[in-house]
Amino acid sequence: MSENNEIEMELPFDTSAITSTEVLDRVNALLTLQDTQNELTEQMEKEILEIEKKYLKKFQPLAEKRFEIVSGKVEPTKEDQQCKAPIQVENLKSNPTDKGIPKFWLHVLQNTEVKDIIEECDIEALEYLVDIKIVQVGDAQDYSLDFHFSENPFFTNTVISKTVKLEEDSELNEIVSTPINWKDGKNFTIQSKKKTVKSKPTKGKAATTTSTTVQEVVPCFFSTFISPNQEPTSDEEADEIMYIQYQIIAKLKDVVIPEAVNFFLGRASDAEENDYDFGEDFDDEEGEDDEDEDDDEDEQTIKKPSGKGKAQPQQPQDCKQQ
């Protein structure tokens, strides 16, 4: 990460309100109290992390049972269906050929703000998404989102992971994505385009026109988030892309995955005040030029994770990398 893109910037001291040495002594006393509070906060965060680890094992069987029902591996019993507020749908007919809950995770994602980066070309592939698991990596704070897919016509991966690596102080270090092993002719994130190049006329020679075929990235959920396939042009751009991805991962981990059934039903919301448009940010990173004429006030800046980039692990479902 480049030094110019630190999550927290050290601000210069404002000493204009310190009017005497006596006031200075009192300010330093307050800083001593702040040091103690910071130490207690660090201790609290360590204890919270231990409590979260304790509950990982309790969340795991719930997530596994959800996967089994969604994928059709098991049928829920009458006892399983005794929720506090069961829903009713009128005029439904029986269909014994329905297996599990078809397109469950596709509907979940489409009912979140992540829908802004889901394009038409993503839809069919996402129909094969059967689970999203939060996996704690070893004893560290690192974790991954594992996207599980059933056999499909697009790629051979059964699991595509996005691993978040954190520093000891919980600051974001890097995000590692599993490369997608595309089947022949099925990579919808790349398209071939013919470009015409016209040379300048020279003395005694007329201008010539030649055609060449280039490969271009198609901006979509798979190419910009699941497994990015375009190299950043600068360290600054790499940092910005990483932070956008981090915010999507954090939203999925902390909000969407724990409440997946409510997002499936469209009765949960992941919108927050001052949230920004994921799709717009990713379009900017792809170098779209058609927005150049917009007013400066419409431009968005990258929103850095609050709390010094600290991840707040909630309800991870597995304790070991699979």
Side-chain angles (χ1 to χ4, degrees):
M1 192 184 306
S2 60
E3 294 181 358
N4 294 329
N5 285 278
E6 292 291 334
I7 297 174
E8 285 192 345
M9 301 294 291
E10 185 173 340
L11 300 176
F13 294 127
D14 177 8
T15 58
S16 61
I18 300 177
T19 56
S20 66
T21 56
E22 288 80 7
V23 173
L24 177 60
D25 290 342
R26 293 164 194 148
V27 170
N28 282 325
L30 295 185
L31 288 174
T32 302
L33 294 175
Q34 186 65 53
D35 289 340
T36 303
Q37 178 168 313
N38 291 344
E39 292 172 1
L40 289 173
T41 299
E42 184 177 351
Q43 179 181 343
M44 177 187 69
E45 290 175 347
K46 289 180 179 179
E47 291 180 6
I48 289 174
L49 183 59
E50 291 304 313
I51 292 173
E52 289 172 342
K53 287 181 178 180
K54 173 184 175 182
Y55 277 85
L56 296 184
K57 294 179 181 179
K58 295 185 178 182
F59 294 136
Q60 183 177 350
L62 300 178
E64 187 61 30
K65 186 66 174 289
R66 179 177 65 189
F67 163 69
E68 291 176 346
I69 293 174
V70 167
S71 63
K73 291 182 179 296
V74 301
E75 288 294 338
T77 64
K78 289 295 183 182
E79 184 179 354
D80 291 332
Q81 301 171 43
Q82 300 304 308
C83 52
K84 292 181 180 179
I87 61 173
Q88 301 291 331
V89 180
E90 296 182 355
N91 301 320
L92 276 183
K93 296 181 180 180
S94 174
N95 184 358
T97 62
D98 273 348
K99 181 181 178 182
I101 304 179
K103 307 177 185 178
F104 176 83
W105 285 102
L106 172 61
H107 283 287
V108 170
L109 294 176
Q110 288 180 319
N111 284 331
T112 73
E113 291 196 330
V114 175
K115 69 180 183 298
D116 293 337
I117 59 172
I118 296 177
E119 302 294 341
E120 189 66 31
C121 60
D122 295 307
I123 300 298
E124 187 177 351
L126 287 175
E127 291 177 358
Y128 294 92
L129 179 62
V130 294
D131 202 7
I132 309 176
K133 292 185 177 181
I134 307 166
V135 180
Q136 197 75 33
V137 179
D139 295 328
Q141 300 180 72
D142 300 349
Y143 63 90
S144 71
L145 289 190
D146 285 359
F147 294 78
H148 291 250
F149 291 87
S150 59
E151 185 176 351
N152 63 81
F154 299 100
F155 43 80
T156 60
N157 308 67
T158 56
V159 180
I160 301 174
S161 299
K162 295 192 69 66
T163 301
V164 175
K165 296 188 176 182
L166 304 170
E167 304 286 0
E168 288 187 4
D169 61 356
S170 298
E171 184 175 349
L172 180 61
N173 182 15
E174 66 174 331
I175 297 173
V176 180
S177 303
T178 302
I180 298 177
N181 300 319
W182 296 99
K183 295 182 179 179
D184 289 343
K186 294 296 185 178
N187 186 354
F188 54 79
T189 69
I190 298 292
Q191 63 180 358
S192 297
K193 276 193 174 182
K194 284 189 175 181
K195 286 195 173 183
T196 301
V197 180
K198 189 175 183 179
S199 66
K200 293 181 179 180
T202 59
K203 188 176 180 180
K205 290 186 178 181
T208 59
T209 301
T210 58
S211 295
T212 182
T213 301
V214 297
Q215 302 291 315
E216 292 187 352
V217 175
V218 178
C220 62
F221 184 71
F222 279 86
S223 67
T224 55
F225 175 67
I226 289 290
S227 187
N229 56 3
Q230 186 168 7
E231 289 295 325
T233 57
S234 66
D235 288 343
E236 181 179 8
E237 182 180 332
D239 287 346
E240 290 178 348
I241 292 174
M242 181 173 67
Y243 283 120
I244 295 170
Q245 293 214 4
Y246 174 82
Q247 290 185 346
I248 298 175
I249 291 171
K251 187 178 286 287
L252 291 173
K253 176 178 71 69
D254 296 337
V255 181
V256 177
I257 297 174
E259 294 283 337
V261 66
N262 287 320
F263 279 98
F264 172 79
L265 293 170
R267 63 182 187 183
S269 173
D270 59 331
E272 298 176 9
E273 187 177 356
N274 297 324
D275 252 0
Y276 60 91
D277 189 328
F278 290 137
E280 181 174 337
D281 281 320
F282 271 124
D283 286 345
D284 290 343
E285 295 306 327
E286 293 294 337
E288 297 292 338
D289 297 325
D290 54 353
E291 302 294 336
D292 289 346
E293 297 178 359
D294 288 352
D295 294 336
D296 289 341
E297 61 265 28
D298 291 334
E299 294 181 1
Q300 289 183 303
T301 56
I302 298 301
K303 178 181 174 186
K304 302 295 191 292
S306 59
K308 202 180 179 184
K310 292 183 179 180
Q312 303 296 328
Q314 287 189 5
Q315 302 188 0
Q317 299 166 3
D318 292 291
C319 297
K320 296 180 180 179
Q321 182 76 315
Q322 297 182 1

